Amino acid sequence: MSLRLMNTVSLGTLLRRCPCRVKEPRFSYCMPTAQSLHTTSFVTQQKGNVMNVFDRRAKLLQRERAARNPNVAVFDYLKEEVGYRLADRIYDIKREFKTGLDLGTGRGYVAKNVTDASLEQLYMSDFSPSMLESAETPQDVKFTKMVIDEEGKFPFENKALDLVLSNLNLHWVNNLPGCLKEIYRVLREDGVFLASVFGGDTLYELRSSLVLAELEREGGFSSHVSPFAEIRDIGSLLNQSGFTMLTIDTDEISVGFPSMFELMWDLQGMAENNAGLNRKPHLHRDTLLAASAIYQEMYGNEDGIPATFQIIYMIGWKPDPKQMGTQAERGSGQVSLKDLHKLDDMIRDAGMEGRIKFMQDMTTDDKDKKD
């Protein structure tokens, strides 16, 4: 799918809009990506056993500023699309949920697509009060808004929820394993966790253009990106947290822009500008102009430039011991593994009565396990 941004904003207009009107205009609009290219190590802060890579306070301010923007709805196109696709996956699960949580609801990108056909009550949470206040709510579902920090303890009892949703939010959490364990704790047995996050290939065009421009103009480059979990790591994180029957897949959305500066402007409007602890305070004007030219030359066409967003979708279930099979007693097998190739002949020789007895024995065994 391709979304095309039609309006064009000049560089002079962007500089006038920038709140930091100094000799060297400040820009910090880069999305985080996993494959970071840098010459200096990441600045981290350790709190307990958690290495903090993201500045949560800066991210909170960015989300508050974006939520209070009168034109905030203009920048919702990407998260609305992904939120709709994530909500659609709820209907693929053939069961009804009583209570659910939309973790990091933002402006209600998933919640507004939830109906009473799949959920009775929904808790909508975000760690930004202004963003939570502006969130759209579901039509026919009871809802409750509450401020929750994804890095803290959730205000729910153990096994309190049937469903937990998260749309493009967990990629800014420092202690992601701890957050997943909290989600696992509040889920009931046989509960499900559905989420989407940005993948490592997100905005690879912008990343490479900025690196090449800084190398050419400044003789080196700094880190403008933040680390991301790759798709191969998502399954390990979910398994370590206790989830089973995992389903993980990826999708790519390409968005068209007139130039690199409109892309940066939209990233700020989405509250997806960089919030890494090691982020550079500003980018020089010459570096930005060079990066824009490199972006156009390497990836652009006559209509502008593309920006690729990789979306990783994940589904994990909290196991229910009642539904887990039990191991048969040693020596209870009636057919040797070496005779499996003769199984068809054995069933044929047993005749109809043998087949009926076999099915009755299987049914009796299933009832005994349930009891």
Side-chain angles (χ1 to χ4, degrees):
M1 171 186 157
S2 177
L3 305 173
R4 179 64 57 184
L5 185 65
M6 300 304 296
N7 60 308
T8 303
V9 183
S10 65
L11 175 60
T13 303
L14 283 175
L15 298 182
R16 287 194 296 273
R17 292 179 181 177
C18 182
C20 304
R21 295 184 62 187
V22 293
K23 291 184 179 180
E24 295 294 342
R26 299 184 179 183
F27 290 84
S28 180
Y29 302 143
C30 302
M31 283 286 296
T33 56
Q35 301 173 354
S36 60
L37 301 174
H38 54 84
T39 56
T40 58
S41 60
F42 280 106
V43 178
T44 60
Q45 296 179 357
Q46 186 166 1
K47 184 178 180 181
N49 296 325
V50 180
M51 295 296 293
N52 291 335
V53 178
F54 306 115
D55 188 342
R56 293 285 290 180
R57 181 177 179 275
K59 178 51 57 180
L60 175 60
L61 294 176
Q62 291 170 2
R63 292 175 71 86
E64 288 285 303
R65 186 184 303 115
R68 295 173 184 175
N69 186 348
N71 299 320
V72 61
V74 175
F75 308 104
D76 286 343
Y77 55 90
L78 179 63
K79 292 187 176 182
E80 279 192 348
E81 176 64 26
V82 179
Y84 174 80
R85 298 184 184 186
L86 183 63
D88 187 60
R89 294 173 180 243
I90 302 175
Y91 303 102
D92 293 335
I93 303 174
K94 304 303 181 183
R95 58 171 291 187
E96 295 183 2
F97 301 100
K98 292 183 178 180
T99 310
L101 169 65
D102 186 2
L103 186 64
T105 187
R107 285 176 35 82
Y109 309 111
V110 177
K112 67 179 182 180
N113 295 306
V114 176
T115 66
D116 57 353
S118 57
L119 194 64
E120 295 181 7
Q121 183 176 5
L122 179 66
Y123 292 97
M124 301 171 61
S125 74
D126 202 286
F127 82 116
S128 169
S130 298
M131 192 70 74
L132 184 63
E133 183 180 355
S134 65
E136 297 184 51
T137 57
Q139 295 291 331
D140 304 319
V141 178
K142 298 178 183 179
F143 65 89
T144 302
K145 292 185 177 181
M146 53 200 314
V147 177
I148 297 178
D149 186 355
E150 296 86 355
E151 295 189 352
K153 185 178 176 63
F154 297 173
F156 296 101
E157 299 293 335
N158 295 344
K159 304 178 182 179
L161 305 173
D162 299 302
L163 172 69
V164 175
L165 304 166
S166 181
N167 179 52
L168 299 181
N169 177 65
L170 296 180
H171 55 282
W172 290 117
V173 176
N174 284 302
N175 186 14
L176 185 55
C179 180
L180 292 176
K181 289 179 180 178
E182 272 296 290
I183 294 173
Y184 184 87
R185 179 185 67 82
V186 299
L187 276 175
R188 294 191 180 100
E189 294 171 345
D190 200 31
V192 63
F193 169 56
L194 288 87
S196 62
V197 295
F198 285 116
D201 290 338
T202 297
L203 293 182
Y204 69 90
E205 306 98 336
L206 179 62
R207 178 179 67 244
S208 57
S209 299
L210 287 171
V211 168
L212 293 174
E214 274 197 298
L215 283 172
E216 192 270 333
R217 294 301 172 119
E218 303 179 28
F221 60 93
S222 303
S223 174
H224 299 290
V225 296
S226 302
F228 248 172
E230 292 281 356
I231 184 172
R232 61 177 176 269
D233 301 322
I234 297 296
S236 298
L237 288 171
L238 292 173
N239 272 323
Q240 291 173 9
S241 301
F243 291 99
T244 58
M245 295 188 293
L246 307 180
T247 302
I248 303 172
D249 60 283
T250 63
D251 194 6
E252 284 191 356
I253 298 178
S254 180
V255 185
F257 296 90
S259 73
M260 186 188 75
F261 299 104
E262 286 80 11
L263 168 59
M264 290 180 167
W265 188 256
D266 276 20
L267 292 178
Q268 185 185 42
M270 298 176 193
E272 292 296 336
N273 34 329
N274 191 13
L277 289 171
N278 65 326
R279 62 190 183 278
K280 190 175 180 179
H282 68 276
L283 281 171
H284 296 287
R285 185 197 304 266
D286 290 345
T287 303
L288 282 170
L289 293 174
S292 179
I294 292 172
Y295 201 134
Q296 178 65 41
E297 181 65 25
M298 292 180 62
Y299 306 104
N301 50 46
E302 62 277 4
D303 297 325
I305 60 168
T308 301
F309 296 88
Q310 183 188 33
I311 313 298
I312 300 177
Y313 298 96
M314 64 193 81
I315 302 176
W317 293 81
K318 184 173 182 178
D320 186 353
K322 297 179 180 179
Q323 296 181 356
M324 298 179 65
T326 58
Q327 184 177 1
E329 296 182 2
R330 185 176 180 85
S332 61
Q334 299 178 1
V335 180
S336 174
L337 292 177
K338 66 179 181 180
D339 296 328
L340 283 179
H341 66 286
K342 303 179 182 178
L343 187 60
D344 292 339
D345 296 336
M346 296 170 63
I347 294 176
R348 190 183 307 108
D349 296 339
M352 183 58 67
E353 294 181 358
R355 298 180 188 179
I356 294 175
K357 184 177 182 302
F358 176 78
M359 295 301 297
Q360 290 176 345
D361 293 341
M362 291 289 294
T363 304
T364 304
D365 291 340
D366 290 341
K367 289 181 179 180
D368 292 340
K369 291 179 181 178
K370 291 181 180 180
D371 296 337

